[in-house]
Amino acid sequence: MSRDPGTPRLLRRLNDRAALELLLGDGPLTRAELGERTGLSKVTAGQLLSRLEERGLVEVAGERAGGRGPHAALYAVVPSSAYVAGLEVLPDSLRVGVADITGRVVVEITLNPSDAADLVKAVPAALRRACEAADVSLSRLRAFVIGTRGVVDPAGGDVRWSYDLPAWHVGVLAGLRDTLDTRVTIENDVNLVALAEHRHGAAVGHEDFVVIWAGVGQGMGVMLGGRLHRGITGGAGEIGWLPVPGEPLPTDVSEPQSGSFQRLVGHDALRGLAEEHGVSGKTVPDLVRGGHEDYLDAVAARLAVGAAAVTVVLDPGLIVLSGEVGRAGGDRLAAKVEEAVARVCPSRPAVVTTRVAGNPVLRGALVAALEQAREEVFSDTV
C-alpha cells in the first residue's frame, strides 16, 4: 500500500496548532506538560517546540522549579508574532483597538472622523493612528474586522444597507481592501456582541443563545451550535421589525424607527412609559437604572414580547440583554424579563444581563479578528 507523502506534514501542522492553542489557553507550559496534554512523546514535543521557536511563534518565558534536577523551561506564544485590529463605526465616531496574537489589547482609541461622508478614507486613517499609537506597523496586522450597524451580505461581505451611515454602502469593502494591505472583514455590530459574550461574557460555555440589543435601535445576535446565524441575506436578528400586537406595521422600511418592536421598546416609547409611571431621568438608561418596580415591570413586559417570539422559534436556552437599556437594567431587569417570558411561552430561557466589559462591539471585532489571524498563523507552521 502506498503511503500518502502529505500525511506527516499534515500531522505536524495539526500537532502544532493544538500545541499553540494549549499555550494560549493554559500556558506557559513545560515540554513535558505540553507532551502530556497533547499525547505526544517528549521527543516529538521537543521537536515541535523547536520548530515553533524557529518560526518565531514560541519562546521561553521562564522556568519551573522541579525536584532535584534542573529547572524546566516554560514555553509561551510570542505575543508580537502577529497583531489584529477591530473597529466600531458610528455616525460620529470611530473606535479602534489593536491586540496581539494572545488577545491582549495593546491600544484602544476613539476618533471623530473629519470627513464622515468618505469612510473609505476615514477608516484607514483611524487604523493608521491606532497602529502608530501601538507602535505596530500596518504590515504586521493579520486581520482587521469592522463592526457596523445595518445588514452585511454573508456571501460577499459588503454592507447591503445602513440607515444612519449613508456613506457605508456596497463597494466600501472593496475600497478598503484596495487601500489597506491587510485582510478586511465587515460584520454586523450585534453579531460581534454575540461573539464577545461567547468568548468573554455571559454566554461562555453556551453553544446556543441569543443577544438582544436594546438601545436606540433594536438588534439581535444569534448563536446556534457555536456559530453565528446570519441568515441568507444577512438580515437575521433585525428584531426591530418584528410585528407585535398593538403596534402598526411599517409602511416604509426606509424609516428605521417604523418597525413594530422598535415602536414598542425604542427610546421614545420608554420615555413615554416613564411619564405614565411618574419616573424622571435625563436619559433612557437613567430612567431604567433608577426606575421603580412598576416601571421596570412594564419595560420587562415589552422586552419579553420580542424575547418570547425568539424563544418559540429558536428555543435558545439563554438570552443575554445588552445595549444601553439592557446594561442599565442589570440583573433586576433580566430577572423580570425571564419571568415575563415564562408567562407567555412554554419554554423558559434563562435571561441574563451582559457580562462583557468595555465596548462590546469592539471586543467582538477583536475576537473575530483573532480567530482569523490564528487560523492563518497557526495553520502555516510547517
Side-chain angles (χ1 to χ4, degrees):
M1 180 182 294
S2 62
R3 187 177 180 182
D4 182 358
T7 299
R9 182 182 180 89
L10 175 61
L11 288 176
R12 286 196 297 271
R13 183 179 291 118
L14 292 174
N15 288 337
D16 289 355
R17 177 65 183 265
L20 288 165
E21 294 288 357
L22 277 171
L23 289 173
L24 277 177
D26 302 331
L29 299 171
T30 66
R31 183 184 65 174
E33 290 169 341
L34 190 62
E36 181 181 343
R37 299 195 187 196
T38 57
L40 301 174
S41 68
K42 289 185 178 180
V43 172
T44 303
Q47 293 172 342
L48 178 153
L49 287 169
S50 296
R51 184 165 61 248
L52 296 179
E53 276 191 286
E54 291 176 3
R55 295 298 300 270
L57 297 176
V58 165
E59 63 185 355
V60 175
E63 294 182 335
R64 175 162 293 155
R68 297 180 179 178
H71 293 178
L74 285 167
Y75 293 88
V77 172
V78 178
S80 60
S81 58
Y83 291 90
V84 301
L87 181 146
E88 181 189 26
V89 177
L90 293 173
D92 57 354
S93 68
L94 300 174
R95 301 174 183 175
V96 197
V98 176
D100 62 37
I101 197 67
T102 70
R104 182 179 67 91
V105 178
V106 181
V107 73
E108 183 176 325
I109 62 174
T110 300
L111 299 171
N112 295 319
S114 57
D115 185 8
D118 192 349
L119 288 172
V120 176
K121 291 182 179 178
V123 168
L127 179 62
R128 292 189 182 97
R129 284 277 300 276
C131 286
E132 289 173 2
D135 195 23
V136 173
S137 65
L138 198 62
S139 62
R140 300 185 68 187
L141 293 183
R142 291 299 188 104
F144 177 36
V145 174
I146 301 168
T148 180
R149 297 174 181 176
V151 173
V152 179
D153 180 10
D158 222 328
V159 180
R160 289 182 53 228
W161 48 259
S162 180
Y163 291 121
D164 51 3
L165 292 168
W168 206 234
H169 48 65
V170 173
V172 167
L173 181 60
L176 290 173
R177 286 175 172 172
D178 288 343
T179 304
L180 295 169
D181 187 22
T182 189
R183 182 177 180 180
V184 184
T185 304
I186 299 176
E187 180 61 270
N188 171 266
D189 54 355
V190 186
N191 283 345
L192 293 178
V193 174
L195 288 179
E197 294 290 352
H198 192 227
R199 180 65 62 86
H200 302 295
V204 171
H206 294 265
E207 298 298 283
D208 296 84
F209 68 94
V210 300
V211 172
I212 293 181
W213 180 275
V216 175
Q218 315 310 309
M220 184 175 70
V222 181
M223 185 81 75
L224 299 176
R227 300 181 65 181
L228 283 174
H229 178 72
R230 299 176 175 87
I232 296 298
T233 65
E238 292 297 323
I239 198 173
W241 300 101
L242 180 73
V244 299
E247 295 295 334
L249 295 176
T251 57
D252 184 357
V253 294
S254 67
E255 293 295 330
Q257 298 299 314
S258 65
S260 299
F261 189 60
Q262 175 68 33
R263 290 175 182 269
L264 187 70
V265 298
H267 276 197
D268 289 344
L270 297 188
R271 287 192 192 96
L273 196 61
E275 291 178 5
E276 293 176 17
H277 286 80
V279 177
S280 61
K282 292 183 179 179
T283 66
V284 169
D286 288 337
L287 294 173
V288 174
R289 191 178 296 110
H292 54 61
E293 294 300 311
D294 289 346
Y295 177 65
L296 276 187
D297 285 339
V299 173
R302 294 190 176 198
L303 288 172
V305 172
V310 172
T311 298
V312 296
V313 175
L314 298 180
D315 191 18
L318 176 68
I319 295 174
V320 181
L321 295 183
S322 189
E324 293 175 319
V325 173
R327 191 179 291 272
D331 293 337
R332 274 206 309 159
L333 179 61
K336 290 178 180 294
V337 173
E338 181 175 322
E339 293 172 3
V341 171
R343 288 195 295 268
V344 297
C345 69
S347 300
R348 178 168 182 154
V351 181
V352 299
T353 191
T354 176
R355 295 287 186 268
V356 174
N359 184 320
V361 177
L362 188 55
R363 291 292 298 275
L366 290 173
V367 168
L370 283 167
E371 289 178 354
Q372 294 178 13
R374 290 170 182 173
E375 180 64 31
E376 177 184 337
V377 174
F378 293 175
S379 297
D380 187 27
T381 59
V382 179

